[in-house]
Each structure stands twice: as C-alpha cells, then as structure tokens.
Amino acid sequence: MSCVIKSLLERPFSSRSFKEKKYLMNIGRPIPNLPNLMQNCGKFTRHFQSNNYKKYEWLAGSETLNALFCWNCLLFGRDRHTSWTENGFKHLGNLSKSLASHEITVNHICASLCAASIGQIRIETALDDQLKQEILQHNKIVKRNRDLLKRLINAVCFLGKQELAFRGHNEEESSINRGNYIELLKYTADYDPLLAEHLETATVFKGFSSHIQNDLIDAVGSSLLLSIKKELEEANFVAVLVDETTDVSNKAQFSIVFRYVNDGQVKERFLGFTDISIDKHDSAISMHILEFLNKFGCSEKLVAQTYDGASTMAGHLSGVQARIKESHPEALFVHCYAHVLNLVLSQCVSEIPQCKIFFSTLNGIAAFFSRSPKRVIFLDEFLKRRLPNVCPTRWNYSSRLVNTVHKFRKELCEVFQAMLEHPEEIESDILAPVNGFLSVLEKFQFVFLLSVFDKIFCHTDILFDVLQHQASDIVYCRKKLKVFARPFQNSVMTLKKIMKKF
C-alpha cells in the first residue's frame, strides 16, 4: 500500500485509465503506522500517532517516503506543489496546526468534493461502458466479415480445385447465368443464412465484382506459393520439370513444376505459367527457370531437370538443359520418360504404313461423330456412350479410342448400318463416308490390328501411369520399362512380317 503514493507521485491520477482510477478508489488511502516518522524535540521525541487517521479521513501515509500526504489532493487536487502532495509532510512539531489549516484550503475542499461525488456521478463509468459496447460491436462486425470472407475464399478454392471457369458471358443481374462464381455463392446462400443476409443487404461490397474475384484468386495463389516456399526451405534437394504449350489465345507459355521430398513424401508442386510468346529461345527459357529457382530460394538445391526431347530444351550444346548445367553442373538432365514412350509408340506406328492408315481411320471415326448432333443421336441409341477424343501428342488417349472401338465394334457397325437404312435422318453428303467406315470395320486387317493394339495398350496404359506417378523414382521407372519391353522385343518385327502378307 505504501507504494501507491509513490506511484501517484510518478504518474498522476488524472492521466490513468478508468479501470486504474476505479482500482485506486476501491483500495482506499494507505494508513501505515509509520514508526520511523519522528521528530527530536530536545528532551523528548515526538512520534506519529495513528489515531490521526481517524480524525482526518483524507490523511494518508507512505512507509517508503516516511511522510504524510493528503489522499484527496493527491487524487483530485489542482495544485500538486504543496507539502501535502509533492514531498509529503514530516514536521510533527506543528502537525495539528498544519492539519487544521490544510483542511480549510480551497484546493483541499475542491478535491474532497470530487472524491465524495465520484461514486455518484458515473460519467466515466458511462463512457467506459460505451467504449466497451463499441469494442464488442466492432469485434462482432469483424468476425462477421471474416466469416463472409471465408465463404468467398471457399468458393474460389472449390472452382480452382474443380478447374472450372469463374466468369460468365453476362454477369448482369438480369442474366440467367452469371457465371460459376456468382451462381455458386447464390446457391450456397440458399443454405447459409449469414451469406443470404449479406447478399440481400450489402450495398457496397458483395464480393461479386471481377476485381474482387481476381484479388481473391491472387490471395489464394500467394498463400499456396508461400506454403510451397516453406516446404522448399525444408527440402534438401530439388528437381525442376518444365513443359511448353500453347493456350487457347495462341500464346506460348511454359509450365514449371518443382519435385522434392518433404516429410518423407515425394511432392510435385505446380508453380505457374510464364508467357514466352515474345522469346522462345533456350536462353530466355533458361533465364525464366533460374528466376523461379532464385525466387523460391532453392537454386543451390537443384540436382535434376527434365523436359521433352526438343532441341530447344534438350540440346547438349545450346539447349535449356545445357545452359542450366553451366550454372548448376550437378543438375542431371533426364528426358521425360512419358514423352519418350509417346515417341516410341508414334515412331513404331509410322514405320508400318498399314498401322498409320489404321489410326488415321480410327481418328476419322471419332471426328465423324463429333461434328454433328444427328450422328451423336445414333451413337446414344446403339452404343449408349460417346467415342473418346484423341490427342495427337498423348498416345494413352489413343488407347481409350482403341479399347472403346474394340469393345463396341459390332454396335458401331449397327450404327453405320442404321444410317444407311435411314438416310433421311442424316446429311445426304455423308453416305459415302458411312459406307466406307462400315466396310473398314468389317475387314479382317482392321479387326486384327484393333485386337493387337488393344492388347498392347493394356500394357502401355499401366506403364504411362507408372511413369507419371509422382512417387516413382528413376530406378523404379527403368525397372518397369525393362519389364514392359521384354515381351515386345520381337513383336514389332513379327508385326511387320505379318503386315507384309496383307
């Protein structure tokens, strides 16, 4: 308690918060015995008498300072430069006279009135309660806004995970379909009262605008990249995977993937696309790769690089892999095994004319049905399914078409036969192709190749999955390649001899 007065001298009562003021008023004035407060008067020594606290309810003492103070003046006094508020009163010889004279001063009377009325006038209490209410209301609004933002972020993450477009062709309120993002939020609002209330009442921020969508996408993307960067900091070694493609706007861009081990698990993380339409030379591509490595702080950890076999990427003199090796000699280059398998399949087929014609015919059948809704109706009636599309650079897509045609060859023949029997239901200029496809499907050579490649692709599909699985390492892949090649070593030569007889 004796330290309270010293604290008030260092920091006045008026500068304290309401909570501190309330605490000081509740503990009341300190009234220690003060045995060390004495005055030598020659023949005798005067000691402070504790019964003075009862006579003067404003009197307080400090053992630390060994002095007497006016409690009311310390708290509410305007003049803090008196002996009762600044250094304390210590002259016991005229204590009674000093107590009486101080009690009638204007400063003391005003301070005593303030001390007596503070418990009745609750202005500070009201202000403090109002401040608490404002803080609670503010926190409530912040929590509500955060909950709403979580719903917007969830919508962004859902559309990104499902690889769906965000924007619609017409996002005006009168539009029937305003795009996946807005329609998803409206659908969610049917089962979420908080989101429904926000969409109905919000006038400034609804979260629908294209700028908000882009900001949320950038925020989610930045968060993902930060997580990837954190994982890369913990990884000891990093491999880089790069591939170049052309998007729908006919812009050339390359995608970059980092492969590393984190917590005992192999991770492959896609970092983004980079537009290289202006400069597709190996120097520009290698510069972009090095920028990614430096940006994510893993330049010194690079031990491997893998691309396709194009000369720009894999050239041993001036390709991307050679330029990367100039600054990272330990970065081993590996030609993408899945791409190699595609090349092997395509080269093998191109060596046999009959096989080239076979796959061209298959692709023609798939394209024939994809060009007209009327033809699709015949497929739905007889086949109960559609023919898979073919990707020229991915032979595992061709295997899907081979498997489908092999399984439903008879039904396809029925489709073409029905078209010939009901020419009025199809275009008149396609009767010749229909007759041609029907005759091809019934030929022994086509059926034979269909059966052969159906069995071959059963093995290549498994190998494709192995080569593209992120947990597979190079040793395991080479082992599987040897297992795959063993039964096919003599198959190509045998197939060539057979095809010469046709």
Side-chain angles (χ1 to χ4, degrees), residues 147-175:
D147 290 339
L148 288 170
L149 191 59
K150 286 180 182 178
R151 287 153 172 78
L152 301 182
I153 293 174
N154 287 338
V156 171
C157 293
F158 174 81
L159 294 175
K161 182 179 179 181
Q162 299 302 118
E163 300 181 3
L164 298 174
F166 279 67
R167 305 294 302 279
H169 294 293
N170 183 4
E171 294 189 353
E172 297 180 359
E173 293 187 3
S174 58
S175 175

Side-chain angles (χ1 to χ4, degrees), residues 18 56 80 84 94-95 98 109 115 145-146 172 245 273 305 339 360 364 370 393 423 449 479 500:
F18 178 73
Y56 304 96
R80 296 182 59 83
W84 290 96
N94 57 351
L95 178 62
S98 297
I109 293 173
N145 291 339
R146 286 180 176 176
E172 297 180 359
T245 186
F273 293 104
Q305 50 180 327
H339 185 263
S360 178
S370 65
T393 60
L449 290 176
K479 179 180 177 182
K500 287 180 180 179

